[in-house]
Amino acid sequence: ALLMRELEASGRIDFRRFYTRRVRRLLPALAVVTTITIHASWALLPLQSQGFTATTGIAASAFLANFEIMRSTGGYFGPAADENALLHTWSLAVEEQFYLVFPTLLFLGWAVWARRREARTTASLTVLTVLIASLALSLVMSGGASVVPAISDSREFAFYSSPTRA
């Protein structure tokens, strides 16, 4: 809604301001949570779990925890995941990856369709297109199909990735 109001009012999106607001809102809280959790894990968790938590904390700082967890855990309910104190950060990473791409898609959709339709209809068409593509990819990969050869476990990718969660 924030992006739509800006687009309707000015015909553009101030990407710098949008991302600055997101970083200012999320990074301080994320820094506190990861710092406290990593320090607590040193005192409370076994050595291997400390490693999982530390690498996830580093990845979470760059909003890439979902890829680190996908790489290291062997599944959401696997033993390695169960011992990762920052397991929950994967969803924040997915959200931020989505917001890295979606404003650009919204703007491009508006630029392509705006002359023929009002901005709200344009946004709806863009959202619907992303939704259908994401759902289709999620269904295919959740079924075990390997769409991308570089991905060894398509079900893990379907669970943890932003393209299948969009």
Short mmCIF file of all heavy atoms in Angstrom, two decimals, residues 83-140:
data_model
loop_
_atom_site.label_atom_id
_atom_site.label_comp_id
_atom_site.label_asym_id
_atom_site.label_seq_id
_atom_site.Cartn_x
_atom_site.Cartn_y
_atom_site.Cartn_z
N GLU A 83 18.63 -28.08 16.61
CA GLU A 83 19.63 -27.52 17.52
C GLU A 83 20.11 -26.12 17.11
O GLU A 83 21.01 -25.58 17.72
CB GLU A 83 20.83 -28.46 17.58
CG GLU A 83 20.49 -29.82 18.15
CD GLU A 83 21.65 -30.80 18.07
OE1 GLU A 83 22.75 -30.41 17.62
OE2 GLU A 83 21.45 -31.96 18.46
N ASN A 84 19.50 -25.56 16.08
CA ASN A 84 19.90 -24.23 15.60
C ASN A 84 19.02 -23.18 16.27
O ASN A 84 17.84 -23.06 15.97
CB ASN A 84 19.76 -24.16 14.07
CG ASN A 84 20.33 -22.89 13.50
OD1 ASN A 84 20.44 -21.88 14.18
ND2 ASN A 84 20.70 -22.94 12.24
N ALA A 85 19.61 -22.42 17.16
CA ALA A 85 18.85 -21.42 17.92
C ALA A 85 18.33 -20.27 17.07
O ALA A 85 17.45 -19.53 17.51
CB ALA A 85 19.71 -20.88 19.06
N LEU A 86 18.84 -20.12 15.86
CA LEU A 86 18.37 -19.05 14.97
C LEU A 86 17.59 -19.60 13.78
O LEU A 86 17.49 -18.95 12.74
CB LEU A 86 19.55 -18.20 14.50
CG LEU A 86 20.16 -17.32 15.59
CD1 LEU A 86 21.47 -16.69 15.11
CD2 LEU A 86 19.19 -16.24 16.03
N LEU A 87 17.03 -20.76 13.93
CA LEU A 87 16.27 -21.39 12.85
C LEU A 87 15.15 -20.48 12.33
O LEU A 87 14.89 -20.42 11.14
CB LEU A 87 15.69 -22.73 13.33
CG LEU A 87 14.88 -23.52 12.31
CD1 LEU A 87 15.77 -23.98 11.16
CD2 LEU A 87 14.21 -24.72 12.97
N HIS A 88 14.52 -19.76 13.24
CA HIS A 88 13.39 -18.91 12.87
C HIS A 88 13.76 -17.77 11.93
O HIS A 88 12.89 -17.17 11.31
CB HIS A 88 12.75 -18.33 14.13
CG HIS A 88 13.67 -17.43 14.88
ND1 HIS A 88 14.69 -17.91 15.67
CD2 HIS A 88 13.73 -16.08 14.93
CE1 HIS A 88 15.34 -16.87 16.18
NE2 HIS A 88 14.78 -15.77 15.76
N THR A 89 15.03 -17.45 11.77
CA THR A 89 15.42 -16.30 10.94
C THR A 89 15.26 -16.58 9.44
O THR A 89 15.35 -15.64 8.64
CB THR A 89 16.86 -15.85 11.23
OG1 THR A 89 17.75 -16.93 10.98
CG2 THR A 89 16.99 -15.36 12.67
N TRP A 90 15.01 -17.83 9.05
CA TRP A 90 14.84 -18.13 7.63
C TRP A 90 13.65 -17.35 7.05
O TRP A 90 13.72 -16.88 5.91
CB TRP A 90 14.67 -19.63 7.38
CG TRP A 90 13.33 -20.18 7.76
CD1 TRP A 90 12.98 -20.73 8.96
CD2 TRP A 90 12.16 -20.23 6.95
NE1 TRP A 90 11.67 -21.11 8.94
CE2 TRP A 90 11.13 -20.82 7.71
CE3 TRP A 90 11.88 -19.83 5.64
CZ2 TRP A 90 9.86 -21.02 7.23
CZ3 TRP A 90 10.59 -20.03 5.16
CH2 TRP A 90 9.60 -20.63 5.95
N SER A 91 12.59 -17.18 7.82
CA SER A 91 11.41 -16.51 7.28
C SER A 91 11.64 -15.01 7.09
O SER A 91 11.12 -14.41 6.15
CB SER A 91 10.18 -16.78 8.16
OG SER A 91 10.40 -16.28 9.46
N LEU A 92 12.44 -14.40 7.95
CA LEU A 92 12.79 -12.99 7.76
C LEU A 92 13.64 -12.83 6.50
O LEU A 92 13.46 -11.87 5.75
CB LEU A 92 13.55 -12.46 8.98
CG LEU A 92 13.97 -10.99 8.91
CD1 LEU A 92 12.76 -10.08 8.81
CD2 LEU A 92 14.82 -10.63 10.11
N ALA A 93 14.54 -13.76 6.26
CA ALA A 93 15.35 -13.71 5.04
C ALA A 93 14.47 -13.80 3.80
O ALA A 93 14.65 -13.05 2.84
CB ALA A 93 16.38 -14.84 5.05
N VAL A 94 13.49 -14.71 3.81
CA VAL A 94 12.57 -14.84 2.68
C VAL A 94 11.82 -13.53 2.46
O VAL A 94 11.70 -13.06 1.33
CB VAL A 94 11.59 -16.01 2.90
CG1 VAL A 94 10.44 -15.97 1.90
CG2 VAL A 94 12.31 -17.34 2.81
N GLU A 95 11.34 -12.94 3.54
CA GLU A 95 10.61 -11.68 3.43
C GLU A 95 11.47 -10.59 2.81
O GLU A 95 11.04 -9.86 1.91
CB GLU A 95 10.13 -11.23 4.81
CG GLU A 95 9.42 -9.90 4.79
CD GLU A 95 9.05 -9.40 6.18
OE1 GLU A 95 9.07 -10.19 7.14
OE2 GLU A 95 8.76 -8.20 6.30
N GLU A 96 12.70 -10.46 3.29
CA GLU A 96 13.56 -9.39 2.77
C GLU A 96 13.99 -9.65 1.33
O GLU A 96 14.15 -8.71 0.55
CB GLU A 96 14.76 -9.18 3.69
CG GLU A 96 14.35 -8.59 5.03
CD GLU A 96 13.35 -7.45 4.90
OE1 GLU A 96 13.63 -6.44 4.22
OE2 GLU A 96 12.25 -7.57 5.48
N GLN A 97 14.20 -10.90 0.96
CA GLN A 97 14.51 -11.21 -0.43
C GLN A 97 13.32 -10.85 -1.33
O GLN A 97 13.50 -10.34 -2.43
CB GLN A 97 14.88 -12.69 -0.58
CG GLN A 97 16.20 -13.01 0.07
CD GLN A 97 16.36 -14.49 0.36
OE1 GLN A 97 15.63 -15.34 -0.16
NE2 GLN A 97 17.32 -14.82 1.21
N PHE A 98 12.13 -11.11 -0.84
CA PHE A 98 10.92 -10.73 -1.58
C PHE A 98 10.89 -9.22 -1.78
O PHE A 98 10.65 -8.74 -2.88
CB PHE A 98 9.69 -11.21 -0.81
CG PHE A 98 8.39 -10.76 -1.42
CD1 PHE A 98 7.87 -11.41 -2.53
CD2 PHE A 98 7.69 -9.69 -0.90
CE1 PHE A 98 6.68 -11.00 -3.11
CE2 PHE A 98 6.50 -9.27 -1.45
CZ PHE A 98 5.98 -9.92 -2.56
N TYR A 99 11.14 -8.48 -0.71
CA TYR A 99 11.10 -7.02 -0.81
C TYR A 99 12.28 -6.44 -1.58
O TYR A 99 12.25 -5.27 -1.96
CB TYR A 99 10.99 -6.37 0.58
CG TYR A 99 9.59 -6.38 1.08
CD1 TYR A 99 9.24 -7.09 2.22
CD2 TYR A 99 8.58 -5.70 0.41
CE1 TYR A 99 7.94 -7.11 2.68
CE2 TYR A 99 7.28 -5.71 0.85
CZ TYR A 99 6.96 -6.42 1.99
OH TYR A 99 5.67 -6.44 2.43
N LEU A 100 13.28 -7.23 -1.81
CA LEU A 100 14.37 -6.78 -2.67
C LEU A 100 13.92 -6.75 -4.13
O LEU A 100 14.31 -5.88 -4.90
CB LEU A 100 15.57 -7.72 -2.51
CG LEU A 100 16.88 -7.30 -3.14
CD1 LEU A 100 17.36 -6.00 -2.52
CD2 LEU A 100 17.92 -8.38 -2.95
N VAL A 101 13.04 -7.68 -4.49
CA VAL A 101 12.60 -7.83 -5.88
C VAL A 101 11.23 -7.19 -6.15
O VAL A 101 11.02 -6.59 -7.19
CB VAL A 101 12.58 -9.33 -6.25
CG1 VAL A 101 12.00 -9.56 -7.63
CG2 VAL A 101 13.97 -9.93 -6.15
N PHE A 102 10.29 -7.33 -5.22
CA PHE A 102 8.91 -6.95 -5.50
C PHE A 102 8.71 -5.48 -5.87
O PHE A 102 7.94 -5.20 -6.81
CB PHE A 102 8.00 -7.33 -4.33
CG PHE A 102 6.55 -7.09 -4.65
CD1 PHE A 102 5.88 -7.91 -5.54
CD2 PHE A 102 5.88 -6.02 -4.10
CE1 PHE A 102 4.56 -7.68 -5.86
CE2 PHE A 102 4.56 -5.78 -4.41
CZ PHE A 102 3.89 -6.61 -5.29
N PRO A 103 9.32 -4.52 -5.20
CA PRO A 103 9.10 -3.12 -5.61
C PRO A 103 9.49 -2.89 -7.07
O PRO A 103 8.81 -2.13 -7.79
CB PRO A 103 9.99 -2.32 -4.66
CG PRO A 103 10.07 -3.17 -3.45
CD PRO A 103 10.11 -4.59 -3.97
N THR A 104 10.55 -3.53 -7.53
CA THR A 104 10.96 -3.40 -8.93
C THR A 104 9.91 -4.01 -9.85
O THR A 104 9.55 -3.42 -10.88
CB THR A 104 12.33 -4.05 -9.16
OG1 THR A 104 13.27 -3.44 -8.28
CG2 THR A 104 12.79 -3.88 -10.60
N LEU A 105 9.40 -5.20 -9.48
CA LEU A 105 8.34 -5.82 -10.27
C LEU A 105 7.09 -4.95 -10.31
O LEU A 105 6.46 -4.80 -11.36
CB LEU A 105 7.99 -7.20 -9.72
CG LEU A 105 9.02 -8.29 -9.89
CD1 LEU A 105 8.56 -9.57 -9.20
CD2 LEU A 105 9.30 -8.55 -11.36
N LEU A 106 6.74 -4.38 -9.18
CA LEU A 106 5.57 -3.50 -9.12
C LEU A 106 5.76 -2.29 -10.04
O LEU A 106 4.88 -1.94 -10.81
CB LEU A 106 5.34 -3.03 -7.68
CG LEU A 106 4.12 -2.17 -7.44
CD1 LEU A 106 2.85 -2.94 -7.74
CD2 LEU A 106 4.11 -1.66 -6.00
N PHE A 107 6.93 -1.70 -9.99
CA PHE A 107 7.21 -0.55 -10.84
C PHE A 107 7.20 -0.93 -12.32
O PHE A 107 6.62 -0.23 -13.15
CB PHE A 107 8.54 0.10 -10.46
CG PHE A 107 8.85 1.31 -11.30
CD1 PHE A 107 8.20 2.51 -11.06
CD2 PHE A 107 9.77 1.24 -12.33
CE1 PHE A 107 8.46 3.62 -11.85
CE2 PHE A 107 10.03 2.34 -13.11
CZ PHE A 107 9.39 3.53 -12.87
N LEU A 108 7.83 -2.05 -12.64
CA LEU A 108 7.85 -2.49 -14.04
C LEU A 108 6.45 -2.82 -14.54
O LEU A 108 6.09 -2.49 -15.67
CB LEU A 108 8.78 -3.69 -14.22
CG LEU A 108 10.28 -3.42 -14.05
CD1 LEU A 108 11.07 -4.71 -14.10
CD2 LEU A 108 10.77 -2.43 -15.09
N GLY A 109 5.66 -3.49 -13.69
CA GLY A 109 4.27 -3.77 -14.06
C GLY A 109 3.50 -2.49 -14.30
O GLY A 109 2.73 -2.38 -15.27
N TRP A 110 3.71 -1.52 -13.45
CA TRP A 110 3.05 -0.24 -13.62
C TRP A 110 3.49 0.43 -14.92
O TRP A 110 2.68 0.96 -15.67
CB TRP A 110 3.35 0.66 -12.43
CG TRP A 110 2.69 2.00 -12.52
CD1 TRP A 110 1.41 2.30 -12.20
CD2 TRP A 110 3.29 3.21 -12.98
NE1 TRP A 110 1.17 3.63 -12.42
CE2 TRP A 110 2.31 4.21 -12.90
CE3 TRP A 110 4.56 3.55 -13.44
CZ2 TRP A 110 2.56 5.52 -13.27
CZ3 TRP A 110 4.81 4.85 -13.80
CH2 TRP A 110 3.82 5.83 -13.72
N ALA A 111 4.79 0.38 -15.20
CA ALA A 111 5.31 1.02 -16.41
C ALA A 111 4.74 0.36 -17.67
O ALA A 111 4.44 1.03 -18.65
CB ALA A 111 6.84 0.94 -16.42
N VAL A 112 4.56 -0.96 -17.64
CA VAL A 112 4.05 -1.68 -18.81
C VAL A 112 2.56 -1.47 -18.98
O VAL A 112 2.07 -1.22 -20.07
CB VAL A 112 4.38 -3.19 -18.69
CG1 VAL A 112 3.63 -3.99 -19.74
CG2 VAL A 112 5.88 -3.40 -18.80
N TRP A 113 1.78 -1.57 -17.87
CA TRP A 113 0.33 -1.58 -17.97
C TRP A 113 -0.33 -0.25 -17.63
O TRP A 113 -1.53 -0.09 -17.85
CB TRP A 113 -0.24 -2.65 -17.05
CG TRP A 113 0.06 -4.05 -17.50
CD1 TRP A 113 0.07 -4.51 -18.77
CD2 TRP A 113 0.39 -5.15 -16.66
NE1 TRP A 113 0.39 -5.84 -18.79
CE2 TRP A 113 0.58 -6.26 -17.50
CE3 TRP A 113 0.53 -5.32 -15.29
CZ2 TRP A 113 0.91 -7.51 -17.01
CZ3 TRP A 113 0.85 -6.57 -14.81
CH2 TRP A 113 1.04 -7.64 -15.66
N ALA A 114 0.37 0.70 -17.08
CA ALA A 114 -0.25 1.91 -16.53
C ALA A 114 -0.99 2.74 -17.57
O ALA A 114 -1.97 3.37 -17.26
CB ALA A 114 0.81 2.78 -15.84
N ARG A 115 -0.54 2.75 -18.78
CA ARG A 115 -1.19 3.59 -19.78
C ARG A 115 -2.59 3.08 -20.12
O ARG A 115 -3.44 3.82 -20.57
CB ARG A 115 -0.32 3.65 -21.03
CG ARG A 115 0.97 4.38 -20.75
CD ARG A 115 1.71 4.73 -22.02
NE ARG A 115 2.88 5.50 -21.65
CZ ARG A 115 4.12 5.10 -21.79
NH1 ARG A 115 4.37 3.92 -22.31
NH2 ARG A 115 5.12 5.85 -21.42
N ARG A 116 -2.80 1.78 -19.91
CA ARG A 116 -4.08 1.19 -20.27
C ARG A 116 -5.00 0.98 -19.06
O ARG A 116 -6.18 0.79 -19.22
CB ARG A 116 -3.85 -0.14 -20.98
CG ARG A 116 -3.14 0.03 -22.32
CD ARG A 116 -3.01 -1.28 -23.05
NE ARG A 116 -2.04 -2.20 -22.47
CZ ARG A 116 -0.73 -2.17 -22.65
NH1 ARG A 116 -0.21 -1.22 -23.40
NH2 ARG A 116 0.05 -3.05 -22.11
N ARG A 117 -4.45 0.98 -17.87
CA ARG A 117 -5.24 0.67 -16.68
C ARG A 117 -4.84 1.60 -15.53
O ARG A 117 -3.75 2.15 -15.52
CB ARG A 117 -5.01 -0.78 -16.25
CG ARG A 117 -5.51 -1.79 -17.26
CD ARG A 117 -5.15 -3.19 -16.80
NE ARG A 117 -5.69 -4.19 -17.70
CZ ARG A 117 -5.09 -4.61 -18.80
NH1 ARG A 117 -3.93 -4.10 -19.16
NH2 ARG A 117 -5.64 -5.53 -19.56
N GLU A 118 -5.70 1.67 -14.53
CA GLU A 118 -5.37 2.46 -13.35
C GLU A 118 -4.31 1.72 -12.51
O GLU A 118 -4.13 0.51 -12.66
CB GLU A 118 -6.60 2.78 -12.53
CG GLU A 118 -7.24 1.57 -11.89
CD GLU A 118 -8.42 1.95 -11.04
OE1 GLU A 118 -9.26 2.74 -11.48
OE2 GLU A 118 -8.48 1.43 -9.92
N ALA A 119 -3.65 2.44 -11.64
CA ALA A 119 -2.52 1.89 -10.89
C ALA A 119 -2.92 0.69 -10.03
O ALA A 119 -2.18 -0.28 -9.92
CB ALA A 119 -1.88 2.97 -10.03
N ARG A 120 -4.07 0.72 -9.41
CA ARG A 120 -4.50 -0.41 -8.55
C ARG A 120 -4.69 -1.68 -9.37
O ARG A 120 -4.35 -2.76 -8.94
CB ARG A 120 -5.79 -0.07 -7.81
CG ARG A 120 -5.63 1.08 -6.88
CD ARG A 120 -5.52 0.62 -5.46
NE ARG A 120 -5.29 1.79 -4.61
CZ ARG A 120 -4.44 1.80 -3.63
NH1 ARG A 120 -3.78 0.74 -3.32
NH2 ARG A 120 -4.26 2.89 -2.93
N THR A 121 -5.25 -1.55 -10.55
CA THR A 121 -5.42 -2.71 -11.43
C THR A 121 -4.06 -3.24 -11.86
O THR A 121 -3.83 -4.45 -11.90
CB THR A 121 -6.26 -2.34 -12.66
OG1 THR A 121 -7.50 -1.81 -12.23
CG2 THR A 121 -6.49 -3.53 -13.56
N THR A 122 -3.16 -2.33 -12.15
CA THR A 122 -1.80 -2.71 -12.51
C THR A 122 -1.13 -3.49 -11.38
O THR A 122 -0.51 -4.52 -11.61
CB THR A 122 -0.97 -1.45 -12.84
OG1 THR A 122 -1.56 -0.81 -13.95
CG2 THR A 122 0.46 -1.79 -13.14
N ALA A 123 -1.26 -3.00 -10.16
CA ALA A 123 -0.68 -3.68 -9.01
C ALA A 123 -1.31 -5.06 -8.84
O ALA A 123 -0.61 -6.05 -8.59
CB ALA A 123 -0.88 -2.86 -7.74
N SER A 124 -2.62 -5.15 -9.02
CA SER A 124 -3.30 -6.44 -8.90
C SER A 124 -2.80 -7.42 -9.95
O SER A 124 -2.58 -8.60 -9.65
CB SER A 124 -4.81 -6.26 -9.04
OG SER A 124 -5.30 -5.46 -8.00
N LEU A 125 -2.62 -6.97 -11.17
CA LEU A 125 -2.10 -7.85 -12.23
C LEU A 125 -0.68 -8.31 -11.92
O LEU A 125 -0.33 -9.47 -12.13
CB LEU A 125 -2.15 -7.12 -13.58
CG LEU A 125 -3.53 -6.91 -14.18
CD1 LEU A 125 -3.45 -5.99 -15.39
CD2 LEU A 125 -4.16 -8.25 -14.55
N THR A 126 0.14 -7.42 -11.40
CA THR A 126 1.51 -7.77 -11.05
C THR A 126 1.53 -8.79 -9.92
O THR A 126 2.23 -9.80 -9.99
CB THR A 126 2.31 -6.51 -10.64
OG1 THR A 126 2.28 -5.58 -11.73
CG2 THR A 126 3.75 -6.84 -10.30
N VAL A 127 0.75 -8.54 -8.87
CA VAL A 127 0.68 -9.46 -7.74
C VAL A 127 0.15 -10.81 -8.19
O VAL A 127 0.68 -11.86 -7.81
CB VAL A 127 -0.18 -8.87 -6.60
CG1 VAL A 127 -0.48 -9.91 -5.54
CG2 VAL A 127 0.52 -7.67 -5.99
N LEU A 128 -0.88 -10.82 -9.02
CA LEU A 128 -1.45 -12.07 -9.51
C LEU A 128 -0.43 -12.86 -10.34
O LEU A 128 -0.33 -14.09 -10.19
CB LEU A 128 -2.71 -11.78 -10.33
CG LEU A 128 -3.49 -13.00 -10.81
CD1 LEU A 128 -4.00 -13.82 -9.62
CD2 LEU A 128 -4.65 -12.56 -11.69
N THR A 129 0.32 -12.19 -11.15
CA THR A 129 1.35 -12.84 -11.96
C THR A 129 2.42 -13.48 -11.07
O THR A 129 2.81 -14.64 -11.27
CB THR A 129 2.00 -11.83 -12.94
OG1 THR A 129 0.98 -11.27 -13.76
CG2 THR A 129 3.06 -12.48 -13.79
N VAL A 130 2.89 -12.74 -10.08
CA VAL A 130 3.90 -13.26 -9.15
C VAL A 130 3.33 -14.44 -8.38
O VAL A 130 3.98 -15.47 -8.21
CB VAL A 130 4.40 -12.16 -8.19
CG1 VAL A 130 5.25 -12.73 -7.08
CG2 VAL A 130 5.18 -11.10 -8.97
N LEU A 131 2.10 -14.30 -7.91
CA LEU A 131 1.46 -15.37 -7.14
C LEU A 131 1.34 -16.66 -7.95
O LEU A 131 1.69 -17.74 -7.47
CB LEU A 131 0.06 -14.92 -6.69
CG LEU A 131 -0.71 -15.97 -5.91
CD1 LEU A 131 -1.20 -15.37 -4.61
CD2 LEU A 131 -1.86 -16.51 -6.71
N ILE A 132 0.88 -16.57 -9.18
CA ILE A 132 0.71 -17.77 -10.01
C ILE A 132 2.05 -18.42 -10.30
O ILE A 132 2.19 -19.65 -10.19
CB ILE A 132 -0.05 -17.41 -11.31
CG1 ILE A 132 -1.51 -17.08 -10.98
CG2 ILE A 132 0.03 -18.55 -12.32
CD1 ILE A 132 -2.28 -16.48 -12.14
N ALA A 133 3.05 -17.63 -10.65
CA ALA A 133 4.38 -18.19 -10.93
C ALA A 133 4.98 -18.84 -9.69
O ALA A 133 5.54 -19.95 -9.75
CB ALA A 133 5.31 -17.09 -11.46
N SER A 134 4.85 -18.18 -8.54
CA SER A 134 5.39 -18.72 -7.30
C SER A 134 4.67 -20.00 -6.88
O SER A 134 5.31 -20.98 -6.49
CB SER A 134 5.26 -17.67 -6.19
OG SER A 134 5.67 -18.20 -4.95
N LEU A 135 3.36 -20.00 -6.98
CA LEU A 135 2.58 -21.19 -6.62
C LEU A 135 2.92 -22.36 -7.53
O LEU A 135 3.11 -23.49 -7.06
CB LEU A 135 1.08 -20.88 -6.68
CG LEU A 135 0.15 -22.05 -6.34
CD1 LEU A 135 0.40 -22.54 -4.91
CD2 LEU A 135 -1.30 -21.63 -6.52
N ALA A 136 3.03 -22.11 -8.81
CA ALA A 136 3.37 -23.18 -9.76
C ALA A 136 4.75 -23.76 -9.44
O ALA A 136 4.92 -24.98 -9.38
CB ALA A 136 3.33 -22.65 -11.19
N LEU A 137 5.73 -22.90 -9.20
CA LEU A 137 7.07 -23.37 -8.87
C LEU A 137 7.06 -24.16 -7.56
O LEU A 137 7.68 -25.21 -7.45
CB LEU A 137 8.04 -22.19 -8.77
CG LEU A 137 9.50 -22.53 -8.47
CD1 LEU A 137 10.10 -23.40 -9.59
CD2 LEU A 137 10.31 -21.26 -8.29
N SER A 138 6.33 -23.66 -6.59
CA SER A 138 6.24 -24.34 -5.30
C SER A 138 5.62 -25.73 -5.44
O SER A 138 6.12 -26.71 -4.87
CB SER A 138 5.41 -23.50 -4.33
OG SER A 138 5.31 -24.15 -3.09
N LEU A 139 4.55 -25.83 -6.18
CA LEU A 139 3.89 -27.12 -6.37
C LEU A 139 4.79 -28.12 -7.10
O LEU A 139 4.89 -29.28 -6.70
CB LEU A 139 2.57 -26.94 -7.14
CG LEU A 139 1.46 -26.25 -6.36
CD1 LEU A 139 0.27 -25.96 -7.27
CD2 LEU A 139 1.04 -27.06 -5.15
N VAL A 140 5.45 -27.67 -8.14
CA VAL A 140 6.33 -28.55 -8.91
C VAL A 140 7.50 -29.02 -8.04
O VAL A 140 7.81 -30.21 -7.98
CB VAL A 140 6.85 -27.83 -10.18
CG1 VAL A 140 7.99 -28.58 -10.82
CG2 VAL A 140 5.70 -27.65 -11.16
#
